[in-house]
């Protein structure tokens, strides 16, 4: 499928980094794992493309703007989720890719603590691909959370 964004083609370094992040995650998790992608820009689309190419079967895209999420999710075979259901969606997820463009964290340590307490599944792997980070650094201290980030050489 062609990208809506010319800057992030399959051949550039950014696309290879996103593909590599997905490949590494699937070395730990199954392709039928519950995956959540936050964002609706170039990086989120690159993650969705890589998940699609890797055969991920259960992907939910979430964004503060549901119309953007709906269009992008349908283009890559994902489901669009409502932002107000983020905590519930994360409680059922195995893997979270954060690919948002916020200047401040959109995922906090307190939020992840609540999510982990509500979970019936094992660990949640969090991959923060955002620059600056969009997962609060204190989230590393949350038990049962596996975190990876671009700075940690995903």
């Amino acid at each position: 499928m062609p990208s809506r964004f010319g800057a992030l083609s399959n051949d550039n370094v950014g696309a290879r980094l996103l593909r590599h992040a997905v490949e590494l995650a699937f070395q730990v998790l199954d392709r039928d794992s519950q995956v959540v992608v936050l964002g609706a820009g170039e990086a989120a689309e690159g993650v969705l493309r890589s998940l699609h190419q890797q055969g991920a079967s259960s992907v939910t895209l979430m964004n503060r703007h549901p119309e953007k999420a709906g269009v992008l999710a349908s283009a890559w075979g994902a489901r669009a989720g409502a932002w107000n259901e983020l905590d519930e969606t994360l409680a059922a997820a195995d893997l979270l890719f954060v690919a948002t463009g916020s200047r401040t964290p959109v995922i906090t340590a307190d939020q992840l603590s609540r999510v982990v307490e509500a979970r019936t599944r094992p660990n949640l792997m969090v991959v923060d691909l955002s620059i600056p980070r969009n997962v609060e650094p204190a989230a590393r201290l949350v038990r049962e959370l596996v975190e990876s980030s671009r700075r940690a050489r995903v």
Side-chain angles (χ1 to χ4, degrees):
M1 266 179 211
S3 173
R4 298 179 302 144
F5 306 100
L8 194 60
S9 71
N10 273 323
D11 298 327
N12 72 23
V13 173
R16 286 194 303 269
L17 174 68
L18 298 174
R19 189 168 47 247
H20 186 62
V22 170
E23 289 169 357
L24 285 174
F26 283 142
Q27 287 179 6
V28 177
L29 299 170
D30 296 327
R31 283 174 175 57
D32 62 348
S33 297
Q34 302 291 318
V35 181
V36 176
V37 179
L38 295 187
E42 293 178 49
E45 183 172 16
V47 170
L48 289 171
R49 176 189 303 115
S50 295
L51 289 165
H52 180 79
Q53 291 170 342
Q54 289 287 321
S57 61
S58 182
V59 179
T60 301
L61 176 68
M62 303 185 87
N63 184 269
R64 292 183 195 269
H65 305 285
E67 62 284 346
K68 285 174 104 175
V71 170
L72 190 56
S74 67
W76 292 103
R79 171 181 107 46
W83 189 261
N84 63 348
E85 297 173 358
L86 179 59
D87 287 3
E88 295 84 8
T89 304
L90 291 179
D94 301 301
L95 174 60
L96 168 63
F97 284 101
V98 181
T100 52
S102 178
R103 292 182 179 171
T104 59
V106 296
I107 301 292
T108 67
D110 288 341
Q111 179 182 28
L112 285 176
S113 290
R114 287 190 311 271
V115 165
V116 165
E117 285 182 26
R119 293 176 62 77
T120 57
R121 302 170 76 86
N123 298 343
L124 171 65
M125 178 182 285
V126 177
V127 181
D128 188 1
L129 298 165
S130 307
I131 297 177
R133 289 178 187 250
N134 280 192
V135 176
E136 193 174 61
R140 292 183 196 151
L141 303 176
V142 176
R143 282 190 64 200
E144 296 183 20
L145 182 71
V146 181
E147 184 199 40
S148 181
S149 75
R150 177 179 268 176
R151 291 186 188 145
R153 295 188 179 182
V154 174

